[in-house]
Every structure is written in C-alpha cells, then in structure tokens.
Amino acid sequence: VDVTAKGMDIFGKLHSFNAVKDASSSKHFLYDGTRGKGVHTFKANRMPETSFILLSGLLGLTGFEVESNKNFFYDPAAVSAHINASKTFDYFKNIHGRNSLDNNGMKLVSTVHIGDKWNNAAWNGKQMLYGDGDGQRMISLSGGLDVIAHEMTHGVIEKTTNLIYENESGAINESIADIFGAFAENKTGEGLWLLGEDIWTPGIQGDALRSMSDPGSVYIGGYTEDGYYPDHYDKRYLGELDRGGVHINSSINNKAAQLITDGGTHYGVTVNGIGKARTEKIFYRALTLYLTPSSGFAEMRQAAIQAARDLHPDRNGAPSLEVQAVMAAYDAIGVY
Ligand SMILES: Cc1cccc(C(=O)O)c1OC(=O)C1CC1
Ligand SMILES: [Zn+2]
C-alpha cells in the first residue's frame, strides 16, 4: 500500500515522500511505487565496499530495508538518497521525457552506508552506491542531489551510448554525468556549476569537488602540469591515472557546457549563451542520438553541433544562434 511517509534528510530538513506499508504488518519500506517500476532505497550497515560491490554483482545483493517507526524514517542518509533519486527521476521524465535510466521505468535502487567513512559514490551497473564520507573531506554523499544525478546519469549513459570509461571517451562520460548532475540539481547562481558542494568539506564554505564554470579554481595536485583541473584541450591530462584522467579532462567539456549556457569569453573566444533549457536538450540529444562508445572531444563537438542544428535549424543558410554558441564554445576550449 502506497503511503505518505516522513523523514529528515542529512541536513535536518523534513520531507514527505511515498513509501510502502507492508499489508500484513505495520512495517514500512523506503519504496516509492509511483515512479516507474519504483524507487527503492536500502542500507548496507557499513559493509566494506569491496564485498558489497562483489555481492551486489554476483548475487544482486542490495542491502537491507531501512527501518522506520510507523511511517517515520530516521535514517537521514537513506531519506536523502530516496528524495534525491525521486527528484532525478522527475528531471529525466519531465525535462527529457525519459522514463527512468533505461527509458522503460527501470527500478531505481540506491544503497547507503556502504563501507566505513567511504568518500565515494558509484554506479555499479545496476544501482547507486553511497558512502558516508569521513566527515572531513565529505559527508554522506547521498545528500548531494548533483552527486545522485551524476550517478544516475552514468546509468543513463550505460543504457544509451555507453561511452567507454577511459581516456577521452571516459572524460566525455564523466562530463555528461556532471552536466546532467548540475542541470538536475538546477541551483541558481554559483552553486549551479559546482559539483558535490553540499557534501564536500563541511568545514569550508564555497568549495566543491569540481567547478564547471572555473575548473582551474580547484586544485588536484600532481595529476596535471599546474596541479589544477584543465579548462582547455591543450591542458588535458595525458597520463594513465584515473583511467586516463576521466575525472580530470571532463572539466574541459564541462567548461564548454557552461559557456553554451551562460556565454562568456574564454581564452579570447566569446560565446553568446543560450540558457539552460536549450543547452540541456542539445546535450541529451547528442548523448542519445549522435555519440558512440568511443566518442572523444572532437566527436563530442560534432554531436553537439548536429543536435543543436536539429533542434535549431539554419536560417537562410546561416547557423542559428544556438549552433553558433556550440561552435564558439568548442573553439574556446580548443576542440575543433
Ligand atoms: C565522489 C566520487 C568518487 C569517485 C567516482 C565518482 C563518480 O561517480 O565518477 C564520484 O562521484 C562524483 O564524482 C560525483 C559528482 C560528485
Ligand atoms: Zn562519475
């Protein structure tokens, strides 16, 4: 039976959400049967991430049902994961007409409290996994809507283009996940372009895991020449760490997405922005129609231009403002 349940998220905010009451008992489950084939959130009781990922892959282990007291859930990390998975489901449904990750209502399974102070979140090919963070560098990752939408977008990518998760195609994979992570969170102001800001270093304000608008403002140490995330193709990381820099070079394409949206001048190239509503449709169409598993930066440029041209055709032989913005943005990051 679908009931309305309540619970606090990791920031102490109270939410009402759909849950299910077991017909034969008064037990409630964090299962929302109203979105696709369901949004179901579990807990892993700090099972080591290696064994959880192994058992999840081998036996389809998802963890344990989250306890409730009648219809009140008192596991904030689980409530956060449940709320944010529902919000991301709604984003893909309402904005892109996509019914869950596989466009066939696929059940959204999340498991929180994986590992001990695990500073990670991951999509393991079947579900979302969240660590609690160590409390210094990160807090419970399920509290970041952009993190959750990032993980779920890895699921969408797998079910569509399935960009190979290494080197340039891996960087495009990561960038697409950041782009829809940011757009699903849909914050106004600077927060829009920050990733993980809500769950990153609780002791420091204004910083984040990554910045899409100013990648070079985030220090990552010895991975890159100057120790900062790259904001131009000529500054890309060419080593083999991080599977060929998938979380590093993603910042280059992230900058292009931010320029297409907001406009701006980058390395002397000026882009006239076209706003979020048109940019997110261009990237969704590029992902689902034009990218291929081995697509790198050059193919990303062509896919975005083609998607923009489909949605905003040339007029009297001249490219539309949207196509011009895409071309200029990729010029600005040095991808021709
Ligand atoms: C925190 C984290 C660690 C390792 C991999 C990922 C991953 O999913 O690639 C990850 O999640 C993110 O990057 C989200 C956006 C903040
Ligand atoms: Zn990722």
Side-chain angles (χ1 to χ4, degrees), residues 120-121 141 147 150-151 154 165 174 178 195 209-210 247:
N120 266 356
L141 284 89
V147 175
H150 175 107
E151 300 317 332
H154 279 309
Y165 201 61
E174 268 302 305
D178 280 352
L195 263 302
L209 199 56
R210 291 188 282 278
H247 293 95

Side-chain angles (χ1 to χ4, degrees), residues 59-320:
L59 309 172
L61 174 84
T62 54
F64 311 97
E65 293 289 355
V66 176
E67 299 94 18
S68 66
N69 178 0
K70 293 254 182 314
N71 67 342
F72 188 87
F73 289 86
Y74 48 86
D75 181 334
V79 170
S80 287
H82 196 68
I83 296 287
N84 288 329
S86 302
K87 284 182 177 174
T88 307
F89 177 93
D90 293 348
Y91 170 74
F92 279 107
K93 190 84 165 43
N94 301 338
I95 303 294
H96 301 295
R98 187 178 188 85
N99 182 13
S100 193
L101 308 186
D102 61 353
N103 203 18
N104 192 24
M106 173 183 173
K107 200 164 108 161
L108 293 180
V109 174
S110 308
T111 306
V112 296
H113 302 312
I114 291 177
D116 181 22
K117 302 187 173 36
W118 192 40
N119 280 329
N120 266 356
W123 162 261
N124 74 349
K126 295 159 71 173
Q127 65 160 93
M128 275 78 73
L129 314 172
Y130 299 102
D132 293 321
D134 59 14
Q136 303 296 326
R137 188 170 155 83
M138 296 184 193
I139 55 178
S140 180
L141 284 89
S142 62
L145 175 50
D146 54 3
V147 175
I148 291 205
H150 175 107
E151 300 317 332
M152 281 179 61
T153 302
H154 279 309
V156 172
I157 292 169
E158 256 185 42
K159 303 287 180 188
T160 52
T161 303
N162 203 11
L163 286 151
I164 296 161
Y165 201 61
E166 63 181 9
N167 304 324
E168 289 206 10
S169 54
I172 298 301
N173 185 320
E174 268 302 305
S175 174
I176 299 280
D178 280 352
I179 288 166
F180 290 121
F183 284 169
E185 186 177 59
N186 195 23
K187 275 188 180 172
T188 51
E190 184 44 41
L192 171 63
W193 298 118
L194 294 177
L195 263 302
E197 70 281 6
D198 291 345
I199 53 97
W200 184 249
T201 59
I204 304 168
Q205 288 315 309
D207 62 349
L209 199 56
R210 291 188 282 278
S211 166
M212 298 173 71
S213 54
D214 187 4
S217 67
V218 182
Y219 183 71
I220 45 173
Y223 288 92
T224 53
E225 208 116 309
D226 63 1
Y228 289 88
Y229 279 104
D231 59 2
H232 192 279
Y233 190 68
D234 295 350
K235 292 185 172 183
R236 68 192 180 284
Y237 172 70
L238 294 167
E240 71 284 357
L241 294 175
D242 184 31
R243 304 173 74 102
V246 300
H247 293 95
I248 299 169
N249 295 329
S250 51
S251 288
I252 301 164
N253 195 61
N254 287 351
K255 181 61 188 172
Q258 183 262 333
L259 284 167
I260 294 166
T261 307
D262 293 347
T265 300
H266 189 58
Y267 292 101
V269 179
T270 297
V271 183
N272 297 314
I274 60 175
K276 178 180 164 302
R278 283 177 278 180
T279 303
E280 61 196 340
K281 292 265 191 320
I282 288 168
F283 277 99
Y284 184 77
R285 186 174 182 86
L287 170 69
T288 52
L289 283 188
Y290 297 118
L291 290 175
T292 68
S294 60
S295 291
F297 283 86
E299 294 79 14
M300 177 70 251
R301 174 193 170 103
Q302 293 314 321
I305 289 170
Q306 187 55 55
R309 181 160 276 134
D310 293 347
L311 296 168
H312 309 284
D314 291 4
R315 276 201 301 274
N316 328 316
S320 61

